[in-house]
mmCIF file of all heavy atoms in Angstrom:
data_model
loop_
_atom_site.group_PDB
_atom_site.id
_atom_site.type_symbol
_atom_site.label_atom_id
_atom_site.label_comp_id
_atom_site.label_asym_id
_atom_site.label_seq_id
_atom_site.Cartn_x
_atom_site.Cartn_y
_atom_site.Cartn_z
ATOM 1 N N ARG R 204 -64.153 60.963 -30.685
ATOM 2 C CA ARG R 204 -64.268 60.424 -29.330
ATOM 3 C C ARG R 204 -65.155 61.254 -28.412
ATOM 4 O O ARG R 204 -65.725 60.737 -27.458
ATOM 5 C CB ARG R 204 -62.879 60.264 -28.714
ATOM 6 C CG ARG R 204 -62.145 61.580 -28.464
ATOM 7 C CD ARG R 204 -60.677 61.333 -28.098
ATOM 8 N NE ARG R 204 -59.977 62.579 -27.806
ATOM 9 C CZ ARG R 204 -59.483 63.393 -28.733
ATOM 10 N NH1 ARG R 204 -59.605 63.080 -30.014
ATOM 11 N NH2 ARG R 204 -58.866 64.506 -28.388
ATOM 12 N N GLY R 205 -65.276 62.551 -28.683
ATOM 13 C CA GLY R 205 -66.073 63.415 -27.810
ATOM 14 C C GLY R 205 -67.496 63.646 -28.287
ATOM 15 O O GLY R 205 -68.253 64.376 -27.640
ATOM 16 N N LEU R 206 -67.879 63.038 -29.404
ATOM 17 C CA LEU R 206 -69.244 63.247 -29.921
ATOM 18 C C LEU R 206 -70.271 62.685 -28.946
ATOM 19 O O LEU R 206 -70.046 61.665 -28.304
ATOM 20 C CB LEU R 206 -69.407 62.590 -31.293
ATOM 21 C CG LEU R 206 -68.584 63.199 -32.428
ATOM 22 C CD1 LEU R 206 -68.813 62.417 -33.722
ATOM 23 C CD2 LEU R 206 -68.951 64.669 -32.635
ATOM 24 N N GLY R 207 -71.407 63.352 -28.869
ATOM 25 C CA GLY R 207 -72.442 62.924 -27.937
ATOM 26 C C GLY R 207 -72.164 63.354 -26.515
ATOM 27 O O GLY R 207 -72.803 62.866 -25.578
ATOM 28 N N GLY R 208 -71.196 64.253 -26.340
ATOM 29 C CA GLY R 208 -70.902 64.767 -25.000
ATOM 30 C C GLY R 208 -70.103 63.818 -24.141
ATOM 31 O O GLY R 208 -70.000 64.022 -22.932
ATOM 32 N N ALA R 209 -69.545 62.774 -24.730
ATOM 33 C CA ALA R 209 -68.772 61.800 -23.960
ATOM 34 C C ALA R 209 -67.283 62.141 -24.012
ATOM 35 O O ALA R 209 -66.859 63.053 -24.721
ATOM 36 C CB ALA R 209 -69.011 60.398 -24.513
ATOM 37 N N ASP R 210 -66.508 61.404 -23.240
ATOM 38 C CA ASP R 210 -65.054 61.543 -23.263
ATOM 39 C C ASP R 210 -64.483 60.136 -23.350
ATOM 40 O O ASP R 210 -64.033 59.564 -22.358
ATOM 41 C CB ASP R 210 -64.559 62.253 -22.005
ATOM 42 C CG ASP R 210 -63.053 62.510 -22.044
ATOM 43 O OD1 ASP R 210 -62.486 62.472 -23.148
ATOM 44 O OD2 ASP R 210 -62.459 62.738 -20.972
ATOM 45 N N ARG R 211 -64.532 59.575 -24.550
ATOM 46 C CA ARG R 211 -64.183 58.178 -24.745
ATOM 47 C C ARG R 211 -62.698 58.018 -25.078
ATOM 48 O O ARG R 211 -62.069 58.922 -25.604
ATOM 49 C CB ARG R 211 -65.028 57.562 -25.866
ATOM 50 C CG ARG R 211 -66.526 57.749 -25.666
ATOM 51 C CD ARG R 211 -67.311 57.088 -26.789
ATOM 52 N NE ARG R 211 -68.740 57.360 -26.663
ATOM 53 C CZ ARG R 211 -69.368 58.372 -27.241
ATOM 54 N NH1 ARG R 211 -68.668 59.203 -28.006
ATOM 55 N NH2 ARG R 211 -70.651 58.559 -27.072
ATOM 56 N N ARG R 212 -62.198 56.825 -24.822
ATOM 57 C CA ARG R 212 -60.821 56.495 -25.181
ATOM 58 C C ARG R 212 -60.833 55.318 -26.149
ATOM 59 O O ARG R 212 -61.748 54.491 -26.123
ATOM 60 C CB ARG R 212 -60.010 56.172 -23.923
ATOM 61 C CG ARG R 212 -59.886 57.366 -22.990
ATOM 62 C CD ARG R 212 -59.284 56.949 -21.668
ATOM 63 N NE ARG R 212 -60.054 55.881 -21.057
ATOM 64 C CZ ARG R 212 -59.642 55.180 -19.992
ATOM 65 N NH1 ARG R 212 -58.472 55.450 -19.452
ATOM 66 N NH2 ARG R 212 -60.388 54.230 -19.490
ATOM 67 N N LEU R 213 -59.804 55.253 -26.957
ATOM 68 C CA LEU R 213 -59.727 54.237 -28.003
ATOM 69 C C LEU R 213 -58.680 53.191 -27.643
ATOM 70 O O LEU R 213 -57.538 53.527 -27.343
ATOM 71 C CB LEU R 213 -59.360 54.904 -29.339
ATOM 72 C CG LEU R 213 -59.089 53.982 -30.529
ATOM 73 C CD1 LEU R 213 -60.316 53.141 -30.872
ATOM 74 C CD2 LEU R 213 -58.648 54.805 -31.744
ATOM 75 N N PHE R 214 -59.099 51.921 -27.726
ATOM 76 C CA PHE R 214 -58.204 50.784 -27.531
ATOM 77 C C PHE R 214 -58.144 50.004 -28.841
ATOM 78 O O PHE R 214 -59.184 49.575 -29.351
ATOM 79 C CB PHE R 214 -58.710 49.872 -26.408
ATOM 80 C CG PHE R 214 -58.606 50.470 -25.032
ATOM 81 C CD1 PHE R 214 -59.513 51.441 -24.611
ATOM 82 C CD2 PHE R 214 -57.601 50.082 -24.154
ATOM 83 C CE1 PHE R 214 -59.433 52.001 -23.348
ATOM 84 C CE2 PHE R 214 -57.500 50.638 -22.885
ATOM 85 C CZ PHE R 214 -58.413 51.601 -22.478
ATOM 86 N N VAL R 215 -56.952 49.828 -29.372
ATOM 87 C CA VAL R 215 -56.758 49.115 -30.639
ATOM 88 C C VAL R 215 -55.990 47.833 -30.374
ATOM 89 O O VAL R 215 -54.971 47.847 -29.655
ATOM 90 C CB VAL R 215 -55.997 49.996 -31.650
ATOM 91 C CG1 VAL R 215 -55.609 49.194 -32.890
ATOM 92 C CG2 VAL R 215 -56.834 51.206 -32.042
ATOM 93 N N PHE R 216 -56.464 46.733 -30.972
ATOM 94 C CA PHE R 216 -55.792 45.441 -30.872
ATOM 95 C C PHE R 216 -55.609 44.887 -32.281
ATOM 96 O O PHE R 216 -56.584 44.666 -33.002
ATOM 97 C CB PHE R 216 -56.604 44.466 -30.016
ATOM 98 C CG PHE R 216 -56.827 44.944 -28.609
ATOM 99 C CD1 PHE R 216 -57.965 45.671 -28.281
ATOM 100 C CD2 PHE R 216 -55.878 44.697 -27.621
ATOM 101 C CE1 PHE R 216 -58.166 46.129 -26.982
ATOM 102 C CE2 PHE R 216 -56.074 45.155 -26.318
ATOM 103 C CZ PHE R 216 -57.212 45.875 -26.002
ATOM 104 N N ASP R 217 -54.344 44.682 -32.665
ATOM 105 C CA ASP R 217 -54.028 44.179 -33.999
ATOM 106 C C ASP R 217 -52.674 43.489 -33.915
ATOM 107 O O ASP R 217 -51.717 44.077 -33.409
ATOM 108 C CB ASP R 217 -53.977 45.338 -35.003
ATOM 109 C CG ASP R 217 -53.921 44.872 -36.453
ATOM 110 O OD1 ASP R 217 -53.213 43.882 -36.734
ATOM 111 O OD2 ASP R 217 -54.571 45.492 -37.308
ATOM 112 N N PRO R 218 -52.551 42.243 -34.389
ATOM 113 C CA PRO R 218 -51.239 41.596 -34.336
ATOM 114 C C PRO R 218 -50.251 42.144 -35.350
ATOM 115 O O PRO R 218 -49.051 41.907 -35.228
ATOM 116 C CB PRO R 218 -51.566 40.132 -34.620
ATOM 117 C CG PRO R 218 -52.822 40.171 -35.416
ATOM 118 C CD PRO R 218 -53.595 41.351 -34.895
ATOM 119 N N TRP R 219 -50.743 42.837 -36.382
ATOM 120 C CA TRP R 219 -49.881 43.304 -37.472
ATOM 121 C C TRP R 219 -48.922 42.177 -37.870
ATOM 122 O O TRP R 219 -47.695 42.349 -37.899
ATOM 123 C CB TRP R 219 -49.136 44.572 -37.071
ATOM 124 C CG TRP R 219 -50.020 45.779 -37.067
ATOM 125 C CD1 TRP R 219 -50.549 46.416 -38.144
ATOM 126 C CD2 TRP R 219 -50.486 46.512 -35.916
ATOM 127 N NE1 TRP R 219 -51.329 47.486 -37.744
ATOM 128 C CE2 TRP R 219 -51.304 47.573 -36.386
ATOM 129 C CE3 TRP R 219 -50.301 46.368 -34.537
ATOM 130 C CZ2 TRP R 219 -51.922 48.479 -35.526
ATOM 131 C CZ3 TRP R 219 -50.921 47.269 -33.690
ATOM 132 C CH2 TRP R 219 -51.717 48.307 -34.193
ATOM 133 N N SER R 220 -49.507 41.053 -38.192
ATOM 134 C CA SER R 220 -48.751 39.854 -38.511
ATOM 135 C C SER R 220 -49.295 39.233 -39.784
ATOM 136 O O SER R 220 -50.508 39.013 -39.898
ATOM 137 C CB SER R 220 -48.860 38.842 -37.361
ATOM 138 O OG SER R 220 -48.531 37.535 -37.785
ATOM 139 N N THR R 221 -48.421 38.961 -40.725
ATOM 140 C CA THR R 221 -48.841 38.332 -41.969
ATOM 141 C C THR R 221 -49.494 36.981 -41.705
ATOM 142 O O THR R 221 -50.522 36.643 -42.298
ATOM 143 C CB THR R 221 -47.631 38.155 -42.897
ATOM 144 O OG1 THR R 221 -47.102 39.448 -43.210
ATOM 145 C CG2 THR R 221 -48.016 37.448 -44.181
ATOM 146 N N GLU R 222 -48.930 36.212 -40.782
ATOM 147 C CA GLU R 222 -49.474 34.885 -40.502
ATOM 148 C C GLU R 222 -50.849 34.984 -39.852
ATOM 149 O O GLU R 222 -51.786 34.268 -40.211
ATOM 150 C CB GLU R 222 -48.513 34.105 -39.599
ATOM 151 C CG GLU R 222 -48.851 32.626 -39.487
ATOM 152 C CD GLU R 222 -48.920 31.928 -40.841
ATOM 153 O OE1 GLU R 222 -48.070 32.222 -41.700
ATOM 154 O OE2 GLU R 222 -49.833 31.096 -41.023
ATOM 155 N N ALA R 223 -50.997 35.892 -38.884
ATOM 156 C CA ALA R 223 -52.285 36.031 -38.208
ATOM 157 C C ALA R 223 -53.358 36.575 -39.149
ATOM 158 O O ALA R 223 -54.554 36.323 -38.950
ATOM 159 C CB ALA R 223 -52.138 36.950 -36.998
ATOM 160 N N ALA R 224 -52.940 37.329 -40.164
ATOM 161 C CA ALA R 224 -53.908 37.924 -41.093
ATOM 162 C C ALA R 224 -54.320 36.964 -42.199
ATOM 163 O O ALA R 224 -55.236 37.271 -42.966
ATOM 164 C CB ALA R 224 -53.311 39.186 -41.717
ATOM 165 N N ALA R 225 -53.670 35.797 -42.297
ATOM 166 C CA ALA R 225 -53.996 34.845 -43.359
ATOM 167 C C ALA R 225 -55.432 34.366 -43.198
ATOM 168 O O ALA R 225 -55.805 33.842 -42.144
ATOM 169 C CB ALA R 225 -53.027 33.667 -43.319
ATOM 170 N N GLN R 226 -56.233 34.577 -44.227
ATOM 171 C CA GLN R 226 -57.660 34.230 -44.186
ATOM 172 C C GLN R 226 -57.888 33.053 -45.139
ATOM 173 O O GLN R 226 -57.937 33.216 -46.355
ATOM 174 C CB GLN R 226 -58.495 35.456 -44.559
ATOM 175 C CG GLN R 226 -58.297 36.548 -43.532
ATOM 176 C CD GLN R 226 -58.864 37.901 -43.916
ATOM 177 O OE1 GLN R 226 -59.436 38.586 -43.088
ATOM 178 N NE2 GLN R 226 -58.714 38.294 -45.152
ATOM 179 N N LYS R 227 -58.026 31.879 -44.552
ATOM 180 C CA LYS R 227 -58.026 30.642 -45.336
ATOM 181 C C LYS R 227 -59.312 30.423 -46.114
ATOM 182 O O LYS R 227 -59.380 29.532 -46.961
ATOM 183 C CB LYS R 227 -57.740 29.462 -44.409
ATOM 184 C CG LYS R 227 -56.362 29.536 -43.749
ATOM 185 C CD LYS R 227 -56.112 28.378 -42.809
ATOM 186 C CE LYS R 227 -54.690 28.425 -42.250
ATOM 187 N NZ LYS R 227 -54.399 29.664 -41.538
ATOM 188 N N GLU R 228 -60.342 31.207 -45.837
ATOM 189 C CA GLU R 228 -61.587 31.070 -46.590
ATOM 190 C C GLU R 228 -61.558 31.888 -47.884
ATOM 191 O O GLU R 228 -62.464 31.776 -48.700
ATOM 192 C CB GLU R 228 -62.774 31.477 -45.719
ATOM 193 C CG GLU R 228 -62.988 30.537 -44.527
ATOM 194 C CD GLU R 228 -64.090 31.014 -43.590
ATOM 195 O OE1 GLU R 228 -64.807 31.979 -43.946
ATOM 196 O OE2 GLU R 228 -64.236 30.423 -42.502
ATOM 197 N N MET R 229 -60.522 32.687 -48.071
ATOM 198 C CA MET R 229 -60.379 33.446 -49.310
ATOM 199 C C MET R 229 -59.816 32.543 -50.397
ATOM 200 O O MET R 229 -59.171 31.538 -50.121
ATOM 201 C CB MET R 229 -59.440 34.647 -49.119
ATOM 202 C CG MET R 229 -59.999 35.774 -48.311
ATOM 203 S SD MET R 229 -59.074 37.318 -48.589
ATOM 204 C CE MET R 229 -57.395 36.830 -48.257
ATOM 205 N N PRO R 230 -60.024 32.917 -51.674
ATOM 206 C CA PRO R 230 -59.334 32.198 -52.754
ATOM 207 C C PRO R 230 -57.829 32.206 -52.526
ATOM 208 O O PRO R 230 -57.271 33.160 -51.965
ATOM 209 C CB PRO R 230 -59.722 33.004 -54.004
ATOM 210 C CG PRO R 230 -60.992 33.695 -53.642
ATOM 211 C CD PRO R 230 -60.900 33.984 -52.175
ATOM 212 N N GLN R 231 -57.152 31.165 -52.974
ATOM 213 C CA GLN R 231 -55.728 31.002 -52.712
ATOM 214 C C GLN R 231 -54.910 32.191 -53.196
ATOM 215 O O GLN R 231 -53.974 32.637 -52.518
ATOM 216 C CB GLN R 231 -55.208 29.721 -53.379
ATOM 217 C CG GLN R 231 -53.744 29.420 -53.056
ATOM 218 C CD GLN R 231 -53.496 29.204 -51.580
ATOM 219 O OE1 GLN R 231 -54.217 28.440 -50.936
ATOM 220 N NE2 GLN R 231 -52.505 29.887 -51.018
#
Side-chain angles (χ1 to χ4, degrees):
R204 66 191 182 279
L206 294 178
D210 184 19
R211 307 181 185 92
R212 296 171 304 169
L213 174 61
F214 290 76
V215 172
F216 300 92
D217 191 320
W219 285 289
S220 161
T221 298
E222 192 56 40
Q226 296 169 139
K227 297 179 176 58
E228 294 175 9
M229 288 199 306
Q231 185 61 49

